[in-house]
Amino acid sequence: MASTSRNESDGDNEPQEEEFERFDDFTLASSWERFISDIEAVCRQWMADGPKNLLKKGAVHLGPSMNLYKVKSELKHALKSYCMEYHFESNSDGKIADWDWSLHDLQLCFGVKDFLVIAPQSASGVILDAPESSKLLSAVAIALSNCSSMWPAFVPVHDPSKKSYIGIQSMGTIFTRRFEADHISSQVPVKLMHLEGLFELFVSKFAYSTLDFSAHFFQVHFTMKLTYKTISHDDDDATRGVDAEFVESGGSPKGDTHTRAQWDDDCPWSEWYSAEDPVRGIELVTIWTGKMVESSSEMAELENASPHEAEKWILCPNISSTISDGSRANTVGFASQLSLLVDALNMSFEAQFMEDFVSVEKPGMDNLKSSMVVPPPSVVDRLLKELFQDGFKLSGFRKAEHKNSRFIKGAPLESLFAQYCLSSLWLGNCNIRAIASFWIEFVREVRWCWEESQTLPRMPGSGSIDLSTCLINQKLQMLAICIEKKQQLNEEYHDCIGSEDGHSAVMENDQVADDSWKTPDPGEYSDEKCDSPPTPTNFHNSATSGPRYGTKAGDVTPSSDSKSSDYIRRGSAGVVGPMMLLKSHQSMHAPFTQEAPLMTEDMHEERLQAVDAFGDSFSFSAQLEKEILFSDMSAFKAANPEAVFEDFIRWHSPGDWETDDTLKSEPSSGFASVSSKDDWPPRGRLSQRMSERGNLWRKIWNDAPSLPASEQKPLLDPHREAEKILHYLETIRPHQLLEQMVCTSFRAAADTLNQTSFGGLKQMQTKIDQLYLTMASMLRPLQANRLSAGSEGIEDLRRISVVFGHVEKLLTIAASLHRKFLQAPSMSEAIFTSYYDFYSKRMGTGSVEENGDMEFSMKRQVRNHERQIVSSMFTPPTVNQSWRKVLSMGNLLNGHEPIVREIIFSKRDRVSGNHYASHTPRGYNKEIETYRMYISGTSNDLRVALSVASCD
């Protein structure tokens, strides 16, 4: 076109130039037009893609509680950068509900569904200049009009904290909806704190200002949501900082360190630490829906209505974010301390003895001294007094144990070593130096108990050694029994001094007390013999063996056939059924015998190793049992002066007495009653092993004197065994001590938490069962001494401490919910199930806990019969809670005003034949929401969002 003009006008140049200028002006576009074109292009692309393709292209999900996604695009205009975001739902069908919990803030304020937000890319993200905001909104409106799009568009304005917006939406060729939202953060007019004033505010937007609103009636749709919140237990907390300072300085939280009642005072872990209440309170949302209000007087009446009149009650638990997130910061619990104990175990391989960690002269320990603090002696002394306090009585080791607790080779919860381990967790920061100094003083206190014959607290002084526990606990139990024996010897010694009969015996030598030992009554001992040494088959039959205890004063009786002193019966426990002695035709008496010597696990292993070295297991076992046999035979001879070796075998090991099966009249056992004189003596013989030449049992029988158990040397030498135990405790290797401490601490901490009352929450019980099995599996390498510094086993222990922390958090929440919903267990179960499903996705098993930005949100509708229970949780505010006495909003619930009041007013009109659309097409008769106002506020702030539809 330009070339044609040039050829036709060669002689006249001016008309050609004017034509070119006019053409250039027509084709050039301004920056404003190009900006609108860019917005239009982006919007057309989003409209063409649709929600499904936008999701495939990476639309961002705004949150788990929202069904809302967004895409964004960057735009530039006049040296400024803008970001335009399109918010859409994956399913765009249906209408926006007024109080849908998944709504975006703009959806709730203005009642829109999909929308655009365009804002500058600046630090504030808002437009402070009013002309600029209007110009930007106009550009978006023109672009959307060119696209024939009905998306509403919003621009943030004013201060970011006010959440203020202006917006516009084209509703076709007839109507346009405009939006505006603003916020008052202080000095809210008193009138706008009440429903009556808010109603008149809404009416003033469409009624003439000269009208008397109280005298006119308007058809206004009204819905309201009131949110109430219980007062948190920690609102007036003034002691938590004091407790934290005390523990950090090296103290233990055990004992009465609280100055006021805590929520978990009756929880089992409160002896060691106070946990933050994870359920900070509950929020109750009451909703009034579907009301038509005509006058401000109706609103005044509604403000005085009880929340019980609301159509819906919805419960929202407020769970602390420090529980939900994965961070360990500012958390107090067993898990954090167990992790520190694992670190101490990792460092325990650096020294040979516990004293090396506290010695100032030990080379190579300078790095430990600078980073690890030894607690002051006063703190250690106080803990030792609590551990070794007088008058402490055990309530039963197995009472608090879980069914899987015995799979962990530790110490029972109430035992002395378990309490030492738990105290060590809270001593300072649980470092290796603090543990070493505490252990040294602990062993000194144990030695003092032995030397002063003081009962070892928290340990049973009788019974069998529980080999399922750790070795230190076995040693302490053996020492407690030795102290009990020593006390008995001391009592007998003083009795001998005070009696004339025993005066000469006492003067012989100091060893008489050891040789005249007398065991306690049989009621003090357990029938369980889990610690008995290995014996061959039929070596000792408990069904026929006599009781093992000393003689009484009346046990010395003369034999009926002889009056000689050699035939005086001593130490008899009674007649053994119909059994008769083979030679004298006298009734057989069972003797009082000594208890078999108790042995710890390492003593059993030593015997087994000796058996393997000897070769002949039976012969060597018999040799090892020589002292027991010698004692039993001596007691049997004393109780049966005319007995022979065969009589002892018939009583002690009836399996080694063989009867003649051809004699039918003879009893199968080979025994005869007193009246069967014709069948006397019973026909039978010793077994082959008992009748062999040089049989060890017969040799022992021939050498054994006739002595009752009360006059025999005790099988257990309490002095020798006690010194061996104390030597073991004083010279134990650090890593051996820490290995047993780790096992015991995990077990004792789990047993402590297992006592928590949390109702019938099946998920929680299953999680605790799994924890015990996991601990038993991952702690097993500690029992085999297969660990080394920095090994994979140390990392496994760190992982199990993380798992322990997850279970501890869940248990704390379960306990808090159980206490708050005692009268409504179904609500407690529903809340915990919802939280468990939320938290289980975040439970990692790595050495570093998983972090997440998601927040727990759970809404549960309260049934009518549950309303009274929920209402009772809102106890009336006390005098000390004067800061809550701002009762100005009405609708009180047990003295509590709503913390937030949200209201939606709306007015609907038909567009045909009214002033909104005087030129509407014929037949167009549709009701639309011409005015809508969302109000959210308290007595301190107020937020108002208004949308108005008009015909422009």
Side-chain angles (χ1 to χ4, degrees):
M1 180 177 179
S3 61
T4 304
S5 299
R6 187 179 296 111
N7 292 333
E8 293 179 352
S9 307
D10 292 338
D12 190 4
N13 293 329
E14 291 183 3
Q16 291 180 4
E17 292 177 1
E18 291 178 1
E19 187 175 354
F20 276 108
E21 288 177 1
R22 288 195 298 272
F23 180 81
D24 291 339
D25 290 342
F26 179 78
T27 57
L28 287 177
S30 66
S31 61
W32 168 252
E33 292 172 325
R34 287 195 296 270
F35 181 54
I36 295 175
S37 178
D38 292 340
I39 296 175
E40 182 180 344
V42 173
C43 292
R44 287 185 183 275
Q45 184 63 48
W46 287 342
M47 292 174 65
D49 288 338
K52 293 184 179 180
N53 289 330
L54 290 177
L55 291 176
K56 293 179 181 179
K57 290 183 178 181
V60 179
H61 191 202
L62 292 184
S65 61
M66 296 184 184
N67 184 28
L68 200 64
Y69 299 82
K70 75 173 181 179
V71 290
K72 64 181 181 178
S73 178
E74 295 183 4
L75 303 168
K76 289 187 177 181
H77 171 60
L79 302 179
K80 289 188 177 181
S81 296
Y82 297 92
C83 179
M84 185 170 66
E85 296 179 343
Y86 171 49
H87 296 71
F88 65 96
E89 295 186 355
S90 58
N91 182 11
S92 299
D93 298 333
K95 183 184 177 182
I96 287 287
D98 287 333
W99 304 118
D100 189 349
W101 301 100
S102 63
L103 291 179
H104 187 273
D105 179 62
L106 291 177
Q107 290 178 317
L108 178 63
C109 288
F110 300 112
V112 297
K113 202 170 184 67
D114 301 344
F115 58 92
L116 290 174
V117 176
I118 186 167
Q121 290 186 324
S122 60
S124 63
V126 300
I127 299 177
L128 303 179
D129 182 50
E132 181 186 358
S133 61
S134 299
K135 185 177 180 180
L136 183 62
L137 190 61
S138 299
V140 178
I142 294 172
L144 291 176
S145 178
N146 294 339
C147 298
S148 300
S149 172
M150 299 178 67
W151 291 341
F154 298 96
V155 174
V157 294
H158 306 319
D159 187 84
S161 62
K162 300 181 69 172
K163 295 182 179 180
S164 299
Y165 292 89
I166 60 173
I168 192 170
Q169 178 186 14
S170 174
M171 301 180 67
T173 59
I174 303 176
F175 294 99
T176 300
R177 178 178 283 138
R178 289 179 172 81
F179 307 99
E180 185 177 1
D182 207 347
H183 181 263
I184 303 175
S185 58
S186 62
Q187 297 181 353
V188 178
V190 177
K191 184 177 181 179
L192 297 183
M193 295 181 187
H194 300 278
L195 294 181
E196 184 177 359
L198 295 174
F199 174 79
E200 293 180 356
L201 173 65
F202 174 69
V203 172
S204 66
K205 298 301 177 181
F206 60 85
Y208 294 108
S209 58
T210 56
L211 290 179
D212 183 4
F213 299 146
S214 61
H216 287 75
F217 295 92
F218 307 93
Q219 295 289 329
V220 175
H221 293 267
F222 167 83
T223 179
M224 180 172 64
K225 182 173 77 172
L226 302 179
T227 303
Y228 302 87
K229 184 178 179 180
T230 57
I231 300 174
S232 173
H233 190 278
D234 296 328
D235 278 343
D236 300 324
D237 193 356
T239 61
R240 297 175 67 85
V242 177
D243 290 344
E245 233 175 71
F246 175 78
V247 175
E248 201 172 319
S249 64
S252 168
K254 184 174 179 180
D256 186 15
T257 62
H258 303 302
T259 58
R260 69 179 185 88
Q262 301 291 321
W263 79 273
D264 59 348
D265 279 345
D266 58 341
C267 292
W269 64 76
S270 62
E271 184 181 9
W272 304 102
Y273 67 92
S274 180
E276 174 192 358
D277 191 350
V279 184
R280 307 283 296 180
I282 64 169
E283 290 185 1
L284 175 64
V285 176
T286 61
I287 297 177
W288 279 265
T289 59
K291 288 187 175 295
M292 185 69 70
V293 181
E294 295 185 347
S295 64
S296 57
S297 59
E298 292 185 33
M299 301 303 297
E301 294 177 2
L302 188 59
E303 185 169 333
N304 296 324
S306 169
H308 289 271
E309 299 178 14
E311 284 78 8
K312 289 183 181 179
W313 275 28
I314 298 175
L315 190 70
C316 310
N318 180 16
I319 295 182
S320 174
S321 59
T322 59
I323 297 294
S324 300
D325 62 24
S327 63
R328 292 185 182 182
N330 301 324
T331 58
V332 178
F334 282 123
S336 59
Q337 305 308 116
L338 290 172
S339 178
L340 296 175
L341 183 62
V342 173
D343 294 339
L345 170 62
N346 191 39
M347 302 191 66
S348 65
F349 295 92
E350 299 183 6
Q352 294 293 320
F353 301 100
M354 296 302 294
E355 289 81 2
D356 296 340
F357 288 106
V358 295
S359 173
V360 295
E361 300 177 356
K362 184 68 178 178
M365 294 295 172
D366 295 336
N367 58 333
L368 297 181
K369 296 172 186 175
S370 60
S371 60
M372 299 183 180
V373 180
V374 176
S378 59
V379 175
V380 176
D381 290 343
R382 181 178 57 80
L383 291 179
L384 289 175
K385 287 181 180 179
E386 293 176 355
L387 284 175
F388 291 87
Q389 60 181 338
D390 297 333
F392 182 85
K393 295 182 179 180
L394 293 172
S395 60
F397 279 171
R398 305 303 177 199
K399 180 180 179 181
E401 282 189 354
H402 188 270
K403 60 182 179 181
N404 297 328
S405 181
R406 291 180 67 91
F407 296 153
I408 304 172
K409 199 172 181 63
L413 175 60
E414 294 185 357
S415 64
L416 182 61
F417 183 60
Q419 294 298 306
Y420 163 83
C421 292
L422 292 179
S423 298
S424 299
L425 292 178
W426 305 99
L427 187 62
N429 57 353
C430 193
N431 62 72
I432 185 63
R433 297 192 68 212
I435 294 173
S437 61
F438 189 27
W439 174 255
I440 293 171
E441 297 301 324
F442 174 81
V443 175
R444 288 176 182 172
E445 195 72 19
V446 171
R447 175 173 282 280
W448 180 87
C449 290
W450 161 251
E451 293 176 350
E452 299 297 327
S453 300
Q454 297 295 319
T455 301
L456 196 63
R458 305 177 187 271
M459 298 301 298
S462 60
S464 57
I465 305 298
D466 189 352
L467 300 182
S468 67
T469 62
C470 64
L471 186 57
I472 293 179
N473 183 74
Q474 297 178 39
K475 296 287 187 183
L476 291 175
Q477 189 176 354
M478 174 76 85
L479 182 62
I481 295 175
C482 292
I483 293 175
E484 186 73 18
K485 304 297 184 188
K486 184 180 179 182
Q487 291 174 344
Q488 293 175 3
L489 293 175
N490 292 338
E491 291 176 2
E492 292 179 5
Y493 179 80
H494 292 297
D495 290 344
C496 290
I497 292 179
S499 63
E500 295 180 359
D501 297 337
H503 181 72
S504 59
V506 172
M507 296 298 294
E508 290 181 3
N509 55 56
D510 295 335
Q511 190 64 27
V512 172
D514 291 342
D515 297 336
S516 60
W517 169 75
K518 178 181 178 182
T519 56
D521 293 338
E524 296 181 38
Y525 289 86
S526 171
D527 293 332
E528 181 184 359
K529 298 184 181 296
C530 66
D531 60 323
S532 59
T535 58
T537 307
N538 293 331
F539 175 75
H540 191 287
N541 192 322
S542 61
T544 58
S545 62
R548 293 184 172 270
Y549 34 77
T551 60
K552 307 287 184 181
D555 292 337
V556 181
T557 57
S559 176
S560 59
D561 291 349
S562 175
K563 296 182 180 180
S564 171
S565 60
D566 295 337
Y567 291 94
I568 298 177
R569 194 186 305 279
R570 294 179 299 167
S572 172
V575 176
V576 184
M579 294 180 66
M580 309 291 292
L581 298 177
L582 294 176
K583 301 300 183 183
S584 62
H585 203 263
Q586 298 293 318
S587 298
M588 182 182 294
H589 286 247
F592 288 101
T593 57
Q594 293 193 56
E595 285 286 342
L598 302 176
M599 290 189 294
T600 57
E601 185 178 19
D602 58 337
M603 297 169 65
H604 280 294
E605 292 177 356
E606 291 175 2
R607 288 205 169 192
L608 291 176
Q609 292 173 1
V611 169
D612 294 338
F614 194 84
D616 187 349
S617 61
F618 170 73
S619 300
F620 192 76
S621 295
Q623 181 66 31
L624 294 175
E625 297 298 328
K626 180 178 179 179
E627 292 183 359
I628 302 175
L629 277 174
F630 191 87
S631 174
D632 289 351
M633 289 178 178
S634 296
F636 187 82
K637 283 184 176 182
N640 301 280
E642 298 180 352
V644 293
F645 177 66
E646 288 77 3
D647 292 322
F648 177 78
I649 294 300
R650 291 166 59 214
W651 168 72
H652 193 277
S653 183
D656 287 309
W657 178 258
E658 299 176 355
T659 61
D660 189 354
D661 296 334
T662 59
L663 301 177
K664 297 181 180 180
S665 61
E666 182 176 315
S668 60
S669 61
F671 310 143
S673 62
V674 178
S675 59
S676 1
K677 294 183 179 182
D678 295 339
D679 297 332
W680 187 261
R683 297 181 183 182
R685 60 182 179 275
L686 294 174
S687 64
Q688 181 179 356
R689 73 181 186 112
M690 289 297 176
S691 57
E692 291 177 349
R693 182 181 297 276
N695 178 265
L696 182 61
W697 283 44
R698 186 178 289 277
K699 183 178 183 303
I700 296 175
W701 173 266
N702 295 332
D703 296 340
S706 177
L707 281 177
S710 60
E711 299 178 13
Q712 297 175 15
K713 181 180 179 180
L715 296 175
L716 175 67
D717 186 349
H719 293 273
R720 181 183 62 187
E721 294 298 332
E723 289 300 330
K724 289 170 62 177
I725 292 170
L726 292 171
H727 176 74
Y728 168 82
L729 298 177
E730 291 169 346
T731 60
I732 188 173
R733 296 296 177 89
H735 71 90
Q736 293 176 345
L737 170 62
L738 268 295
E739 286 171 353
Q740 298 183 62
M741 284 185 64
V742 168
C743 289
T744 299
S745 297
F746 270 98
R747 172 177 169 173
D751 284 340
T752 301
L753 296 179
N754 186 51
Q755 301 176 52
T756 306
S757 176
F758 52 81
L761 301 176
K762 295 181 181 180
Q763 300 98 326
M764 191 69 253
Q765 189 59 57
T766 302
K767 208 67 185 176
I768 292 176
D769 295 344
Q770 293 174 352
L771 175 65
Y772 274 98
L773 296 177
T774 304
M775 288 193 303
S777 174
M778 301 184 74
L779 295 174
R780 193 169 291 117
L782 295 179
Q783 306 169 19
N785 296 323
R786 297 198 299 264
L787 284 184
S788 59
S791 64
E792 182 64 25
I794 298 294
E795 290 302 317
D796 290 340
L797 294 177
R798 292 194 174 104
R799 293 188 187 98
I800 192 61
S801 67
V802 173
V803 175
F804 193 100
H806 289 311
V807 177
E808 188 174 19
K809 286 181 179 179
L810 287 174
L811 189 64
T812 307
I813 292 175
S816 181
L817 290 173
H818 177 63
R819 281 158 174 73
K820 290 176 173 60
F821 295 94
L822 280 175
Q823 304 299 325
S826 60
M827 299 183 69
S828 173
E829 183 175 359
I831 295 173
F832 182 80
T833 300
S834 179
Y835 185 84
Y836 181 85
D837 294 339
F838 161 80
Y839 190 74
S840 59
K841 301 175 183 177
R842 305 155 57 86
M843 293 172 62
T845 56
S847 57
V848 179
E849 297 190 14
E850 295 182 355
N851 293 322
D853 297 329
M854 296 186 300
E855 293 184 0
F856 173 70
S857 178
M858 185 257 186
K859 312 292 185 294
R860 182 184 185 275
Q861 186 166 346
V862 181
R863 300 181 179 91
N864 290 333
H865 67 276
E866 296 173 334
R867 288 193 176 189
Q868 192 59 42
I869 298 174
V870 175
S871 177
S872 64
M873 299 176 67
F874 289 84
T875 56
T878 62
V879 177
N880 294 332
Q881 296 159 344
S882 57
W883 59 275
R884 294 192 62 89
K885 292 185 177 180
V886 189
L887 307 178
S888 57
M889 294 175 61
N891 300 113
L892 302 184
L893 176 62
N894 295 341
H896 295 257
E897 69 173 359
I899 60 170
V900 177
R901 179 173 58 193
E902 298 173 84
I903 301 171
I904 296 177
F905 292 111
S906 63
K907 188 175 186 303
R908 299 168 186 173
D909 290 301
R910 295 189 178 275
V911 298
S912 177
N914 59 30
H915 64 278
Y916 292 109
S918 58
H919 301 288
T920 53
R922 183 174 298 178
Y924 190 88
N925 190 5
K926 181 181 178 181
E927 186 179 63
I928 65 171
E929 191 175 64
T930 52
Y931 287 87
R932 184 183 190 275
M933 180 182 284
Y934 168 80
I935 301 171
S936 173
T938 66
S939 57
N940 299 320
D941 56 39
L942 185 69
R943 186 184 185 195
V944 179
L946 177 67
S947 64
V948 179
S950 62
C951 180
D952 294 336

